[in-house]
Amino acid sequence: MTTIPCESYPMIGGDGAHSYTQNSAFQRSVVDAAKEMIHQAVKNSLDFKNPSFSRIEAFRIADFGCSTGPNTFTAVENIIDSIANEYDGQDKNNPPFQFQVFFNDHTNNDFNVLFMNLPPGRKYFAAGVPGTFYGILFPKSTLHFGHSSNALHWLSKVPEDVADSKSPAWNKNSITYSGSVDEVSKAYSGRFRDDMNTFLSSRAHELVSGGLMVVILPCLPEGILLSETTIGMNFSNLRCCLMEMADSGIISEEKVDVFNLPIYYPRIKELETVIHKNGCFSIEKMENMARLMKHVPPTVGAVTSHTRAIFQALIKEHFGAEIVDDLFERFAKRLHQNFYPGNLENHKHLELFVLLKRIGCK
Amino acid sequence: MTTIPCESYPMIGGDGAHSYTQNSAFQRSVVDAAKEMIHQAVKNSLDFKNPSFSRIEAFRIADFGCSTGPNTFTAVENIIDSIANEYDGQDKNNPPFQFQVFFNDHTNNDFNVLFMNLPPGRKYFAAGVPGTFYGILFPKSTLHFGHSSNALHWLSKVPEDVADSKSPAWNKNSITYSGSVDEVSKAYSGRFRDDMNTFLSSRAHELVSGGLMVVILPCLPEGILLSETTIGMNFSNLRCCLMEMADSGIISEEKVDVFNLPIYYPRIKELETVIHKNGCFSIEKMENMARLMKHVPPTVGAVTSHTRAIFQALIKEHFGAEIVDDLFERFAKRLHQNFYPGNLENHKHLELFVLLKRIGCK
């Protein structure tokens, strides 16, 4: 198995006003909602009597796509608390595990900030692992629990065809596959299938037999187009601002035409198909977490900061750092004028909680 | 065992003109000289038939005090090449190990630069582990090989008494224990003994029985005072420059009086005594590497850059960032006027290579 070449766009580092650390309240609500589901996952699906878990020196957990915290710390604590409780219940005679936690993200993630933010008094040994999760990051069969929250909708790269004016998949009028021609959607979904398959095969290599993998991933509900969701509306808002700036001569229209986000929100069926085809994991649970999530009514400020924290690196690289302030001022202004139309409840994407268990493998 | 509170002063990060990355040629010559000794250590002291090494999923190596590279990468490659060769010779029927390497340094080390510099095409899985090595950093019995080069002469902190004007150990006229009163030397050597004992007990917890630990450490030859070595002369040069700046009113004399370096160069006997008293390791080898080291005649520029890369963080914290350029210009000027007197060969410290093996432990 080879690591696929991967473009990477880190969340904004540091802990300033625009940082991911300060602008990840949505991701926090996801992590909080997952707590009970992780507890149930450990209770129902982790079998400490499995030979893979006997006489291990340490229980090893990895968070794939951890960013800079603090959400990754909360997620990891939820996992450890659940395991410690449950193991104590199942095998009172054995000493409790020592936990070793690996925080993984791209090499250009701000690991210095991540390490500075590590909770004092934590109950685990911490390590950072740099590199794309679309490839093998650990020795064979050395992990017991994998976790990835709000990370796998980032593709390894934009499908090449969509930025090629000679291809039928050229995506001139959009920065995503929303509202686009069929070829664009196909190029995006093809990239997602390949990436997800590589992710699963890599984790299958690393996890012990019987090991668990929690994937939390935004998905599109059946029958709803990306352009009909609030996320899709944000993307189209962002593109309108870029076009406005092109019209004013601040950036070139050609640059906007070839700008595409390496992001894909799969349908549930699509995800199931990749997992089954890959064959290394059984699906133990698949459930929309939206009902468990604390509803935080979006404000213009929050949506703008959140969008900026996530996409600033991408935009800087493509258009240059000097346009970023201007772009997000326009973005906020457009949101003020025209917040989301209609009933927001109809425009939500799903937050899918997927529990996978490592089975015998090819 | 508890982690002792620890002050930390990272080498200069990044890869600019003053960075550690660009100013660690001396450390490089140490790593190069250690290559053959590591090869012999693996050949003579690593027993793959020891139950600790049977059926392991991964061979785990940690470098304690790795800084930002590139020397840590060379050291780790030397270890891996030696093990891969030797294991192949001892047990041809078993598949080769997968290697996992943990790079450890203080939390404020520049791990971002370390990760960016990781060699492409490396034969190991890499992870960064932030935190002082004067404390436990890994789960019990999960490491097979430890390494620490030119790091253990950094104490966890300056002994408190030496900055206390009411103590008999007050170190008013020096920034180290060189040429000082007996009480100062005692305070420093006491701190070293405690720190080294904590280091050994921590590594004893982490290493498997039969696991190896290589420590490379600058030491003082018998009968030579620190003030008589070139290192000691650098320290006294640095203090003269600080006093000069105090005389000119740039910094306060009181601040110079309480400035002390948390650095200690033990005698060989002193080191042996701590290791024996600790009782967790056998000494497999102890040898001065100086004869193996490439002799690079020191230039004023190299000595100045090297000293700055190592001590800038400490000086910044104590006196403020604004004095650093001035200080090292004075330092270079003084070196020009009065480079080291006498025969340099008589003024070398030892570079001690110590090979330890984990034995049954308290």
Side-chain angles (χ1 to χ4, degrees):
Chain A
M1 188 183 309
T2 51
T3 299
I4 54 178
C6 191
E7 292 163 17
S8 69
Y9 309 97
M11 307 299 99
I12 299 181
D15 52 9
H18 297 305
S19 66
Y20 177 82
T21 301
Q22 298 290 339
N23 289 288
S24 45
F26 171 77
Q27 285 86 341
R28 172 63 190 243
S29 73
V30 174
V31 167
D32 286 344
K35 186 174 180 173
E36 179 54 26
M37 302 187 76
I38 284 174
H39 182 67
Q40 290 302 322
V42 168
K43 194 178 163 79
N44 300 326
S45 301
L46 202 56
D47 176 13
F48 295 107
K49 295 191 179 70
N50 182 316
S52 300
F53 295 95
S54 73
R55 293 189 309 177
I56 56 174
E57 341 82 279
F59 193 100
R60 296 198 183 85
I61 298 167
D63 188 29
F64 297 93
C66 62
S67 191
T68 51
N71 293 334
T72 185
F73 307 129
T74 312
V76 157
E77 272 160 35
N78 291 343
I79 295 169
I80 289 179
D81 288 348
S82 300
I83 293 170
N85 276 341
E86 203 52 38
Y87 182 71
D88 200 41
Q90 282 194 29
D91 198 342
K92 285 199 194 307
N93 298 324
N94 271 338
F97 291 125
Q98 289 194 290
F99 292 96
Q100 189 170 28
V101 176
F102 296 90
F103 296 95
N104 158 256
D105 212 319
H106 283 294
T107 304
N108 58 0
N109 181 53
D110 198 337
F111 280 94
N112 289 345
V113 167
L114 177 81
F115 287 166
M116 295 285 183
N117 288 341
L118 277 166
R122 59 192 174 274
K123 295 175 209 147
Y124 53 86
F125 297 100
V129 173
T132 171
F133 50 52
Y134 295 127
I136 297 177
L137 293 162
F138 297 91
K140 191 169 167 57
S141 305
T142 55
L143 291 184
H144 304 95
F145 201 111
H147 180 267
S148 179
S149 180
N150 265 284
L152 274 159
H153 58 303
W154 283 90
L155 301 174
S156 65
K157 56 181 176 180
V158 171
E160 278 144 29
D161 288 354
V162 304
D164 174 2
S165 64
K166 290 184 195 87
S167 161
W170 190 33
N171 194 28
K172 185 178 174 358
N173 299 315
S174 169
I175 58 171
T176 60
Y177 56 97
S178 70
S180 312
V181 277
D182 236 26
E183 280 81 1
V184 175
S185 297
K186 274 186 194 157
Y188 267 94
S189 68
R191 181 75 268 151
F192 172 79
R193 278 198 306 275
D194 288 352
D195 283 349
M196 190 69 196
N197 185 52
T198 305
F199 179 87
L200 293 170
S201 298
S202 303
R203 300 302 80 78
H205 174 91
E206 299 159 357
L207 281 160
V208 299
S209 168
L212 298 184
M213 176 78 223
V214 166
V215 170
I216 296 168
L217 182 67
C219 293
L220 276 190
E222 281 307 315
I224 303 258
L225 293 173
L226 178 59
S227 57
E228 292 167 338
T229 65
T230 50
I231 294 177
M233 289 173 206
N234 285 341
F235 293 154
S236 110
N237 195 6
L238 199 61
R239 186 177 180 276
C240 288
C241 298
L242 288 169
M243 283 307 291
E244 213 177 84
M245 290 171 81
D247 289 344
S248 310
I250 301 166
I251 51 177
S252 86
E253 197 174 327
E254 289 72 31
K255 276 216 150 180
V256 182
D257 287 349
V258 294
F259 181 62
N260 292 281
L261 299 174
I263 274 197
Y264 186 74
Y265 301 85
R267 310 268 174 197
I268 294 181
K269 283 232 167 98
E270 217 172 349
L271 185 61
E272 279 177 334
T273 306
V274 188
I275 298 168
H276 286 142
K277 238 179 160 174
N278 174 272
C280 297
F281 292 92
S282 63
I283 300 175
E284 302 281 303
K285 189 164 200 163
M286 207 176 230
E287 189 177 329
N288 181 18
M289 295 201 311
R291 66 177 174 83
L292 297 169
M293 286 165 60
K294 201 173 145 194
H295 181 65
V296 186
T299 65
V300 168
V303 173
T304 307
S305 295
H306 179 73
T307 309
R308 179 172 183 155
I310 294 175
F311 294 114
Q312 175 168 299
L314 253 169
I315 289 161
K316 262 189 180 172
E317 194 194 70
H318 192 83
F319 295 104
E322 64 284 1
I323 79 146
V324 175
D325 283 340
D326 187 356
L327 176 64
F328 284 99
E329 274 162 34
R330 288 166 193 266
F331 183 86
K333 205 168 148 199
R334 280 189 73 95
L335 268 188
H336 263 300
Q337 286 162 357
N338 182 22
F339 219 54
Y340 313 116
N343 182 351
L344 264 182
E345 289 308 309
N346 295 337
H347 300 295
K348 275 192 181 160
H349 63 274
L350 310 175
E351 276 296 321
L352 202 66
F353 177 97
V354 187
L355 176 64
L356 302 173
K357 189 172 190 167
R358 177 75 172 85
I359 50 178
C361 186
K362 50 192 172 183
Chain B
M1 190 181 313
T2 51
T3 299
I4 53 178
C6 192
E7 293 162 15
S8 70
Y9 309 97
M11 306 301 99
I12 301 182
D15 51 11
H18 296 306
S19 66
Y20 177 82
T21 301
Q22 299 289 337
N23 291 288
S24 44
F26 171 76
Q27 285 84 343
R28 173 63 190 244
S29 73
V30 174
V31 166
D32 286 344
K35 185 173 179 174
E36 178 55 26
M37 302 188 76
I38 284 173
H39 182 67
Q40 291 301 323
V42 169
K43 194 179 165 79
N44 300 327
S45 300
L46 202 57
D47 175 14
F48 295 109
K49 295 190 178 70
N50 182 315
S52 299
F53 295 96
S54 70
R55 292 188 311 177
I56 57 175
E57 340 82 277
F59 193 99
R60 295 198 183 84
I61 298 165
D63 188 29
F64 298 92
C66 63
S67 189
T68 51
N71 293 335
T72 184
F73 306 130
T74 312
V76 157
E77 272 159 37
N78 290 344
I79 296 169
I80 289 179
D81 288 349
S82 300
I83 293 169
N85 276 340
E86 205 50 40
Y87 183 71
D88 200 40
Q90 283 194 30
D91 199 342
K92 286 200 191 309
N93 299 323
N94 270 339
F97 290 125
Q98 289 195 291
F99 291 96
Q100 189 170 29
V101 176
F102 297 90
F103 296 95
N104 158 256
D105 212 318
H106 284 293
T107 304
N108 58 1
N109 181 51
D110 197 338
F111 280 95
N112 289 345
V113 166
L114 177 82
F115 287 168
M116 294 287 182
N117 287 341
L118 276 166
R122 60 193 174 272
K123 297 175 206 149
Y124 53 87
F125 297 101
V129 172
T132 171
F133 50 51
Y134 295 128
I136 296 177
L137 294 162
F138 296 91
K140 191 169 165 55
S141 305
T142 55
L143 291 184
H144 304 95
F145 201 112
H147 179 268
S148 180
S149 180
N150 265 284
L152 274 158
H153 58 304
W154 284 90
L155 301 173
S156 66
K157 56 181 177 181
V158 171
E160 278 144 28
D161 288 353
V162 304
D164 175 3
S165 64
K166 291 186 197 86
S167 163
W170 189 34
N171 194 28
K172 185 178 172 1
N173 298 315
S174 169
I175 58 173
T176 61
Y177 57 97
S178 71
S180 313
V181 277
D182 235 28
E183 280 81 0
V184 174
S185 296
K186 273 186 196 156
Y188 267 94
S189 69
R191 182 75 268 152
F192 173 79
R193 279 197 306 275
D194 287 352
D195 284 349
M196 190 70 196
N197 184 51
T198 307
F199 179 86
L200 292 170
S201 297
S202 303
R203 302 299 80 80
H205 174 91
E206 299 160 355
L207 280 160
V208 298
S209 167
L212 298 184
M213 177 79 221
V214 166
V215 171
I216 296 168
L217 182 65
C219 292
L220 275 190
E222 279 308 315
I224 303 258
L225 292 174
L226 179 60
S227 56
E228 293 167 338
T229 65
T230 49
I231 296 177
M233 289 172 206
N234 285 341
F235 294 153
S236 111
N237 196 6
L238 199 62
R239 185 175 181 277
C240 288
C241 298
L242 288 168
M243 282 308 291
E244 212 178 84
M245 290 172 79
D247 289 344
S248 310
I250 301 167
I251 51 178
S252 85
E253 197 175 326
E254 288 71 32
K255 276 215 152 183
V256 183
D257 287 349
V258 294
F259 181 63
N260 293 282
L261 298 175
I263 276 197
Y264 186 74
Y265 301 85
R267 310 266 174 198
I268 294 181
K269 284 232 168 98
E270 215 172 350
L271 185 61
E272 279 177 334
T273 306
V274 187
I275 297 168
H276 287 142
K277 236 177 161 174
N278 174 272
C280 297
F281 292 92
S282 63
I283 300 176
E284 302 281 304
K285 189 165 200 162
M286 206 176 233
E287 189 177 329
N288 180 19
M289 294 202 312
R291 65 176 175 83
L292 298 169
M293 285 166 62
K294 200 171 144 193
H295 180 64
V296 187
T299 64
V300 168
V303 173
T304 308
S305 296
H306 180 73
T307 309
R308 180 173 180 154
I310 294 175
F311 294 114
Q312 176 169 299
L314 254 169
I315 289 161
K316 262 188 180 173
E317 195 193 70
H318 192 83
F319 296 103
E322 63 285 0
I323 78 145
V324 176
D325 284 338
D326 188 356
L327 176 64
F328 284 99
E329 273 161 35
R330 288 166 193 266
F331 183 85
K333 206 170 145 195
R334 281 188 73 93
L335 267 188
H336 263 299
Q337 287 162 356
N338 182 22
F339 217 55
Y340 312 116
N343 182 353
L344 264 180
E345 288 307 308
N346 295 338
H347 300 295
K348 275 192 181 162
H349 63 273
L350 309 174
E351 276 297 321
L352 201 66
F353 177 98
V354 187
L355 176 63
L356 302 172
K357 189 171 190 168
R358 177 76 171 85
I359 51 179
C361 186
K362 51 194 173 185

